[in-house]
Amino acid sequence: MTIKSLRIGTRGSPLALAQTHMVRALLAEAHGVGEDHFPVEIIKTTGDQIQDRSLADSGGKGLFTKELDLALIGGAIDLAVHSSKDLPTHLPAEIVIAGYLPREDVRDAWIGRDGMTIDALPPGAVVGTASLRRAAQVKRRRPDLQTTLLRGNVHTRLGKVESGEIDATLLALAGLKRLGLADRATALLPLADFPPAVGQGAIGLTARAGDAETRAALAPLLDAATALALAAERAFLSALDGSCRTPIAGHATVSGDELSFYGEVLKADGSQVWITRRKGRAIDAAMIGADAGNEIVLKLPHGVAGLM
């Protein structure tokens, strides 16, 4: 029996569309149908419309998912494609994360004006980023640098560096690769100094909780190891009540039946960092992540709110 037509919801940025067309092509291949069997619905989100202030000042990263969630719940689309680091810690009860594509490289790429690395920038140089995590990690490595808010899609951010409006920025290598722009990276930042955001590098697929048919259709695309890693990372974030208001990094890897986890929380100015590490059975991923998050909570002198 031919698979039913599935309507795929996505944001309209070049990266969101590139990721959605990846999913569309994989669905078509998995089920032996044409890509037109899976029409794409572009949905403008509140997060895309707000460009002049940080997400922390606007309501959080759920602004990138709210309208897609409403379209799912209302039946306008059957699944939505997300950069997993944009997924809020808690989803509406009617929606589930159906799973993830195999994860890409999780590292951050450094893009410096005239090819300058982070160590080559002169004191007082300006690094643009919309991420509190990246800003705090930059300040931890180079307290003499300035950081400034930088919103917009990948091409916009690259253009700000090229024009000299800012001296450097940091972007997810995974996104650059999916856009065919990996060669624009001046350097790839080591995980030891710049561990990623929770979910970075993974494409997440959401669906209605009761829609077994859509979830079954997505099953051939999904990667079990990525799901376990993200379960640990998202549990870590949840234990910290983490949001885009807090500089948090979390990264889990799965090797066979074992999961390794690294997490850190930073002060916004990079002057302090609290670190946790865990190893355990991969099937205990969520428990490992939650335990790591609770350890950090106990270490923070004034709670997570004191870091903002």
Side-chain angles (χ1 to χ4, degrees):
M1 185 174 68
T2 303
I3 184 176
K4 73 169 185 177
S5 177
L6 298 176
R7 295 156 298 171
I8 307 174
T10 178
R11 294 164 55 196
S13 73
L15 178 56
L17 290 171
Q19 294 179 159
T20 297
H21 286 293
M22 284 176 58
V23 172
R24 190 187 196 202
L26 288 169
L27 272 170
E29 182 181 7
H31 297 286
V33 297
E35 291 187 21
D36 58 358
H37 203 71
F38 307 105
V40 172
E41 300 288 342
I42 298 174
I43 298 171
K44 183 166 283 190
T45 69
T46 304
D48 291 313
Q49 298 176 63
I50 298 172
Q51 298 293 324
D52 60 346
R53 56 195 186 275
S54 70
L55 292 179
D57 294 331
S58 308
K61 60 185 177 181
L63 295 174
F64 284 129
T65 60
K66 179 182 176 183
E67 285 80 7
L68 287 161
D69 290 345
L70 290 173
L72 261 180
I73 293 168
I77 58 175
D78 299 299
L79 65 133
V81 180
H82 301 275
S83 293
S84 294
K85 66 179 181 178
D86 292 335
L87 286 168
T89 312
H90 304 290
L91 301 178
E94 302 93 333
I95 293 173
V96 295
I97 299 174
Y100 308 90
L101 300 191
R103 198 174 202 173
E104 247 291 1
D105 196 315
V106 304
R107 287 176 294 176
D108 278 331
W110 175 268
I111 296 93
R113 182 170 54 86
D114 300 326
M116 286 188 289
T117 65
I118 187 170
D119 294 322
L121 284 179
V126 178
V127 180
T129 179
S131 163
L132 290 183
R133 170 191 63 86
R134 288 173 175 148
Q137 290 172 341
V138 166
K139 297 290 270 185
R140 184 183 177 207
R141 174 76 170 262
R142 287 283 308 271
D144 58 307
L145 298 179
Q146 298 182 56
T147 57
T148 189
L149 175 66
L150 178 64
R151 294 291 311 279
N153 63 39
V154 170
H155 292 88
T156 298
R157 299 183 194 200
L158 291 172
K160 299 276 189 179
V161 177
E162 290 176 359
S163 69
E165 186 171 332
I166 57 175
D167 296 300
T169 190
L170 303 82
L171 295 169
L173 175 61
L176 291 176
K177 291 177 74 171
R178 290 168 185 148
L179 288 168
L181 297 171
D183 61 340
R184 304 288 285 276
T186 303
L188 301 182
L189 296 171
L191 290 175
D193 297 325
F194 290 85
V198 163
Q200 185 158 311
I203 295 174
L205 307 175
T206 57
R208 286 181 292 278
D211 188 353
E213 189 173 1
T214 294
R215 295 175 70 181
L218 292 172
L221 282 60
L222 307 180
D223 184 67
T226 301
L228 289 167
L230 269 287
E233 293 174 18
R234 288 177 60 79
F236 175 69
L237 198 64
S238 181
L240 289 162
D241 193 24
S243 70
C244 60
R245 294 178 176 271
T246 313
I248 296 173
H251 181 219
T253 56
V254 175
S255 178
D257 296 329
E258 186 174 80
L259 181 142
S260 299
F261 178 81
Y262 174 91
E264 70 178 33
V265 176
L266 304 98
K267 288 195 71 171
D269 63 1
S271 61
Q272 285 183 273
V273 61
W274 292 267
I275 292 171
T276 180
R277 292 180 175 86
R278 290 286 188 284
K279 282 192 176 182
R281 299 186 304 168
I283 58 172
D284 297 327
M287 188 185 306
I288 292 169
D291 186 58
N294 289 328
E295 177 195 336
I296 294 283
V297 170
L298 293 174
K299 288 181 177 180
L300 297 175
H302 303 294
V304 176
L307 300 173
M308 294 186 287

